[in-house]
Amino acid sequence: PKMKEDHCLHTALLCLGVLCCSHGLATDGLSLSRPSLHGHHEKGKEGQVLHRSKRGWVWNQFFVIEEYTGPDPVLVGRLHSDIDSGDGNIKYILSGEGAGIIFVIDDKSGNIHATKTLDREERAQYTLTAQAVDRNTNRPLEPPSEFIVKVQDINDNPPEFLHENYHANVPERSNVGTSVIQVTASDADDPTYGNSAKLVYSILEGQPYFSVEAQTGIIRTALPNMDREAKEEYHVVIQAKDMGGHMGGLSGTTKVTITLTDVNDNPPKFPQSVYQMSVSEAAVPGEEVGRVKAKDPDIGENGLVAYSIIDGDGMDMFEITTDYETQEGVVKLKKTLDYETKKSYSLKVEAANVHIDPKFISNGPFKDTVTVKIAVEDADEPPVFLKPSYIFEVQENAASGTVVGKVHAKDPDAANSAIRYSIDRHTDLERYFVINAEDGNIKTIKALDREEMAWHNISVFAVEVHKQHQEAKVPVAIKVVDVNDNAPKFAAAYEAFVCENARSNQQFITISADDKDDSANGPRFIFSLPPEIIHNPNFTLRDNRDNTASVLVRREGFSRQKQDLYLLPIVISDGGVPPLSSTNTLTIRVCGCDGSGSLLSCNAEAYVLNAGLSTGALIAILACIVILLVIVVLFVTLKRQKKEPLIVFEEEDVRENIITYDDEGGGEEDTEAFDIATLQNPDGINGFIPRKDIKPEYQYLPRPGLRPAPNSVDVDDFINTRIQEADNDPTAPPYDSIQIYGYEGRGSVAGSLSSLESATTDSDLDYDYLQNWGPRFKKLADLYGSKDTFDDDS
């Protein structure tokens, strides 16, 4: 019953403390006391139930107003234990969040002060722990107890919008109340305490076009039929105020830029009712004549306009296209114009919107029309020939001055200037024709030959007399009409052969003819023999009536010995008017044939063997002579060749191979005359040559007094000087490798073989063994092998 009573008292005191603190009692330093709790259960670790010991704290929940700026530290509250008798033996200790830094406690009285200004927006509450200990022994007299210090909010933060500037769009012509955008502000104050964070929205700028909902911040349209074409952009200022909008509240603002988007609520409209244009008659189809433009204040696809020609007498001559970049209608020429035929045209052009909004169809037809008048301007045009080309005919061989034909051109302009004609000489290099400059008559200058050129293609110029730059050109083709001025001839150089044993009326050749004239003056060809030989006893002619003729044998028994060649004249006539004919000679040879009629030979050598040799015999004789000449040349060449001896005969003088050493040269291989330049090495004069096989221990400097002049010719002094330098220089070899041949070696059984010593010194050596040394020592064996022999030879 006791524990239940303490718990009820604790609950009552807690409620009373909260009530008192809510009325600011804590800030006045008041404290509430409660008896210690007995039997309060606490759960420890591992589910162990701990029994809290009895303590006599004066308990309180403390509040501190934020942003306190008084001169003295603010009293937060007081802690007091019921075992504190006031003798100062109890020491109060404070720990936890901000203890010792923000919150300090008087260890004797238990008063807690806040030393710093607190900001609820930074931290709303602090959890602290209080403990009472014996001042002398620091022994805890009460178990630690936690309490909370709450920071009481004041309205110290104004509302802030999420963005400093907002951008929004709304279609023009929108109904009143159409939602545009919602703006939102936030307040850092405590929304659960008072009205510090209760916001109300209002509009400062932008009326009467827009309004804002006070609680939600939604901006809506306030006027109907807002026209983008009148005003496109609006600047609205929205305010958010706390404290529910009452006096003393803080506020914040933001700017909202609202743009009206376009709708197709305007039809296109031409700024004028008539357009005047002009075009030259020289303009080519596709050339631009002019432009029209219907203005539509709408933008984008709502302002797209398409143009078309719906009426007018120029519908066939002109066309219109739409330039979507400039929104203009481009009038272009469709066909060639002629000023002299029609000088003006009229068009009715319509401009209509491409996209139409059904919501605004009642605003009227979204199209407009305009009249376009086009004047045709006279252009200075070049002359025009009546025909695009001319074809004339003239007979060949016509006399000079014969009229070929006439060309005619006129000036299409209204002035109708006079025309002058001329021939382009690049097309008539041979100058066959001439033209009358005034009337355009073309005449020949010299005779024409169809067989050389059947057609002449020339060009004629027409130029205005007063405007030389206006020029026209027309092609003229002139055909040369054939005249029968060429007689027919053999189609080829015919040569016929007839057998000696030919039969009577036997055909042996068919001939044809050729005529340079046209077919009208050529075939049909007529073949015949001249009247004087029409009764030729040897041959006859038969016209085949197909432009060919056959030659036949009239008699039998031809003989090459009597006559081997016949010349038969043949007359050929053409079918021209008047006809022409020519006499052509056919060569006929008599040949030998076999029984079947095949040719064997057409030569007459068989009948002239008595008079000389035949060609084959002469060729054979010449071939024999050439062969004999070739044989003679080969024989003489072989006789002149001699074989060289392969060995040296014994009779040759062996002394021819003995080399005489009569100088102090470079050794046995030096067979040339002595040359002082060999010893005077220019490299050696300027310095010594070090020895390469040993390292010199010191640098030797030759004595200048021992060196002779470079161009000295005293060889003996020069050699002695070099020998002395070499002997005194242990670091380098001599200046030159001078070899002394006074000693010829040792160890040879034969001794010295010098012929110089043998003449003055007697030798008792026996040289007979040289006979056994082979053929190479045969000469030495003969000279030294036997003393008797040597004496005999000498």
Side-chain angles (χ1 to χ4, degrees):
K2 179 65 176 175
M3 292 181 60
K4 184 175 181 181
E5 180 182 357
D6 289 343
H7 187 268
C8 293
L9 180 60
H10 174 238
T11 304
L13 290 176
L14 175 62
C15 296
L16 181 62
V18 171
L19 180 62
C20 293
C21 291
S22 64
H23 287 80
L25 297 179
T27 59
D28 295 334
L30 299 178
S31 62
L32 297 175
S33 301
R34 66 166 177 85
S36 300
L37 299 178
H38 299 280
H40 186 75
H41 297 282
E42 292 184 355
K43 285 190 177 181
K45 297 180 179 179
E46 298 180 357
Q48 181 180 0
V49 178
L50 300 178
H51 296 277
R52 179 178 296 176
S53 60
K54 180 181 178 181
R55 59 193 176 118
W57 280 105
V58 174
W59 180 90
N60 200 354
Q61 181 174 353
F62 303 110
F63 291 86
V64 179
I65 297 177
E66 66 171 336
E67 305 293 342
Y68 175 76
T69 57
D72 298 325
V74 60
L75 177 62
V76 177
R78 180 184 179 189
L79 297 179
H80 185 73
S81 176
D82 55 0
I83 64 174
D84 186 3
S85 60
D87 56 1
N89 292 327
I90 296 178
K91 179 181 180 181
Y92 295 99
I93 299 175
L94 184 66
S95 62
E97 299 174 345
I101 300 174
I102 299 175
F103 302 101
V104 294
I105 188 170
D106 188 346
D107 60 353
K108 292 182 179 181
S109 63
N111 292 330
I112 302 173
H113 291 83
T115 61
K116 294 183 179 181
T117 301
L118 301 180
D119 188 358
R120 191 202 66 84
E121 284 70 41
E122 291 183 2
R123 189 158 189 173
Q125 66 181 19
Y126 297 85
T127 302
L128 299 173
T129 302
Q131 189 176 12
V133 299
D134 188 274
R135 185 177 296 275
N136 296 321
T137 62
N138 287 330
R139 182 177 60 85
L141 301 177
E142 291 282 352
S145 178
E146 288 185 353
F147 63 93
I148 296 173
V149 177
K150 290 188 176 181
V151 181
Q152 186 174 345
D153 181 53
I154 64 174
N155 188 18
D156 59 344
N157 291 278
E160 293 183 357
F161 285 92
L162 297 179
H163 303 284
E164 184 178 355
N165 292 287
Y166 289 85
H167 295 273
N169 298 324
V170 63
E172 63 173 334
R173 308 284 181 182
S174 296
N175 296 326
V176 175
T178 302
S179 175
V180 180
I181 190 175
Q182 181 179 15
V183 294
T184 303
S186 61
D187 196 319
D189 293 325
D190 188 0
T192 63
Y193 180 76
N195 295 325
S196 298
K198 185 177 181 180
L199 304 181
V200 174
Y201 298 94
S202 62
I203 183 168
L204 300 183
E205 294 181 17
Q207 296 173 334
Y209 306 103
F210 299 95
S211 63
V212 63
E213 292 183 357
Q215 305 300 326
T216 62
I218 297 175
I219 301 174
R220 299 181 183 274
T221 59
L223 283 181
N225 297 324
M226 285 191 292
D227 190 3
R228 184 199 67 83
E229 288 74 31
K231 185 175 181 180
E232 183 177 6
E233 191 172 84
Y234 295 85
H235 298 281
V236 178
V237 178
I238 302 297
Q239 182 190 63
K241 190 174 183 180
D242 59 12
M243 298 299 292
H246 294 95
M247 294 292 292
L250 303 178
S251 64
T253 61
T254 185
K255 293 181 180 180
V256 182
T257 301
I258 301 175
T259 303
L260 297 182
T261 58
D262 184 64
V263 297
N264 190 11
D265 58 340
N266 294 280
K269 185 70 176 179
F270 284 104
Q272 57 197 67
S273 59
V274 178
Y275 283 87
Q276 297 287 346
M277 299 180 184
S278 62
V279 60
S280 173
E281 63 173 334
V284 297
E287 186 173 336
E288 180 179 328
V289 177
R291 295 189 174 214
V292 297
K293 183 175 183 179
K295 295 183 178 181
D296 190 334
D298 297 323
I299 60 175
E301 67 176 13
N302 297 320
L304 293 180
V305 179
Y307 298 88
S308 61
I309 299 175
I310 59 176
D311 197 6
D313 58 358
M315 294 184 64
D316 296 335
M317 304 300 295
F318 300 93
E319 62 182 355
I320 190 169
T321 60
T322 303
D323 187 347
Y324 286 103
E325 292 184 1
T326 62
Q327 290 298 303
E328 294 177 321
V330 183
V331 180
K332 295 182 179 180
L333 183 63
K334 192 175 181 181
K335 295 181 181 180
T336 305
L337 301 174
D338 186 8
Y339 172 79
E340 288 71 28
T341 303
K342 189 173 178 61
K343 296 179 175 59
S344 65
Y345 294 89
S346 178
L347 302 174
K348 188 175 183 180
V349 176
E350 180 185 76
N353 276 140
V354 177
H355 302 283
I356 299 176
D357 193 340
K359 296 180 182 179
F360 305 98
I361 194 69
S362 60
N363 288 7
F366 286 82
K367 62 180 65 177
D368 193 15
T369 59
V370 70
T371 300
V372 179
K373 293 184 178 181
I374 303 174
V376 180
E377 296 178 349
D378 187 19
D380 191 8
E381 301 176 85
V384 177
F385 284 95
L386 298 183
K387 295 181 180 180
S389 62
Y390 291 87
I391 300 177
F392 300 127
E393 292 184 356
V394 62
Q395 286 189 345
E396 65 174 330
N397 301 325
S400 177
T402 302
V403 176
V404 177
K406 181 180 180 180
V407 297
H408 182 68
K410 67 175 183 178
D411 182 12
D413 300 324
N416 195 16
S417 301
I419 306 297
R420 294 185 63 86
Y421 303 93
S422 62
I423 295 176
D424 184 1
R425 288 305 171 187
H426 293 92
T427 60
D428 186 24
L429 297 176
E430 300 296 331
R431 294 185 177 272
Y432 287 106
F433 307 97
V434 68
I435 190 171
N436 190 303
E438 283 73 20
D439 58 13
N441 279 320
I442 301 174
K443 299 180 180 180
T444 61
I445 299 176
K446 52 186 177 181
L448 305 177
D449 188 358
R450 190 203 67 86
E451 285 70 43
E452 290 183 2
M453 187 179 296
W455 285 86
H456 293 266
N457 296 308
I458 64 174
S459 296
V460 175
F461 290 114
V463 182
E464 294 183 16
V465 174
H466 301 293
K467 298 176 183 179
Q468 299 294 327
H469 64 282
Q470 295 294 352
E471 181 182 76
K473 187 177 182 180
V474 69
V476 178
I478 301 174
K479 179 181 179 181
V480 181
V481 180
D482 183 50
V483 175
N484 192 18
D485 57 348
N486 291 278
K489 295 180 180 180
F490 277 158
Y494 293 107
E495 187 174 1
F497 302 92
V498 65
C499 295
E500 290 180 310
N501 56 357
R503 299 185 304 275
S504 178
N505 294 326
Q506 181 180 352
Q507 175 183 339
F508 58 89
I509 188 173
T510 300
I511 59 176
S512 62
D514 189 13
D515 196 332
K516 293 182 179 180
D517 291 323
D518 196 4
S519 58
N521 293 315
R524 150 170 123 80
F525 298 120
I526 300 173
F527 299 88
S528 63
L529 296 176
E532 60 272 14
I533 62 168
I534 193 171
H535 299 293
N536 188 306
N538 300 316
F539 306 101
T540 185
L541 184 69
R542 183 180 66 203
D543 193 338
N544 297 326
R545 298 183 179 275
D546 59 355
N547 295 325
T548 63
S550 300
V551 182
L552 296 85
V553 177
R554 175 167 285 187
R555 65 178 180 86
E556 298 179 356
F558 291 91
S559 174
R560 285 180 291 171
Q561 187 175 8
K562 291 182 180 180
Q563 184 176 351
D564 63 342
L565 184 65
Y566 293 90
L567 300 176
L568 180 64
I570 299 176
V571 178
I572 306 176
S573 300
D574 59 20
V577 180
L580 293 180
S581 62
S582 64
T583 301
N584 302 266
T585 302
L586 177 64
T587 302
I588 303 173
R589 294 184 179 275
V590 180
C591 303
C593 304
D594 56 11
S596 61
S598 300
L599 279 91
L600 296 177
S601 175
C602 294
N603 297 324
E605 66 275 4
Y607 301 99
V608 294
L609 289 177
N610 296 331
L613 296 175
S614 64
T615 302
L618 292 175
I619 294 175
I621 293 172
L622 290 176
C624 292
I625 293 173
V626 171
I627 293 173
L628 289 175
L629 289 175
V630 172
I631 293 174
V632 170
V633 171
L634 292 175
F635 180 76
V636 172
T637 303
L638 293 175
K639 290 291 289 180
R640 289 185 178 181
Q641 292 181 352
K642 292 182 179 181
K643 294 183 179 180
E644 295 295 335
L646 301 177
I647 60 174
V648 180
F649 294 101
E650 294 181 359
E651 289 79 5
E652 292 181 353
D653 190 359
V654 297
R655 289 174 297 178
E656 293 178 356
N657 295 330
I658 298 175
I659 300 172
T660 303
Y661 300 95
D662 56 352
D663 56 71
E664 298 292 334
E668 294 179 356
E669 295 180 359
D670 188 4
T671 59
E672 302 294 331
F674 178 78
D675 186 4
I676 188 65
T678 304
L679 300 179
Q680 292 177 342
N681 189 346
D683 297 332
I685 294 175
N686 297 329
F688 67 96
I689 302 175
R691 188 175 298 172
K692 297 181 179 179
D693 55 345
I694 63 174
K695 181 178 181 181
E697 297 179 357
Y698 60 91
Q699 184 70 27
Y700 170 72
L701 298 176
R703 290 173 295 176
L706 297 177
R707 180 172 296 177
N711 296 327
S712 175
V713 296
D714 191 345
V715 179
D716 187 71
D717 293 341
F718 181 86
I719 294 175
N720 291 332
T721 301
R722 294 304 180 193
I723 292 174
Q724 185 177 1
E725 290 180 358
D727 293 338
N728 295 328
D729 182 11
T731 63
Y735 181 78
D736 197 359
S737 298
I738 303 174
Q739 303 295 334
I740 306 300
Y741 297 96
Y743 175 70
E744 297 197 12
R746 62 185 177 180
S748 174
V749 178
S752 177
L753 299 179
S754 176
S755 61
L756 298 177
E757 289 185 0
S758 63
T760 57
T761 305
D762 295 336
S763 178
D764 296 335
L765 296 177
D766 186 5
Y767 298 100
D768 292 338
Y769 60 84
L770 295 175
Q771 298 290 342
N772 300 325
W773 282 17
R776 297 184 177 181
F777 296 90
K778 187 176 182 301
K779 294 296 183 181
L780 293 177
D782 292 342
L783 291 175
Y784 300 98
S786 175
K787 185 176 182 182
D788 297 336
T789 305
F790 176 78
D791 294 337
D792 295 339
D793 294 339
S794 60

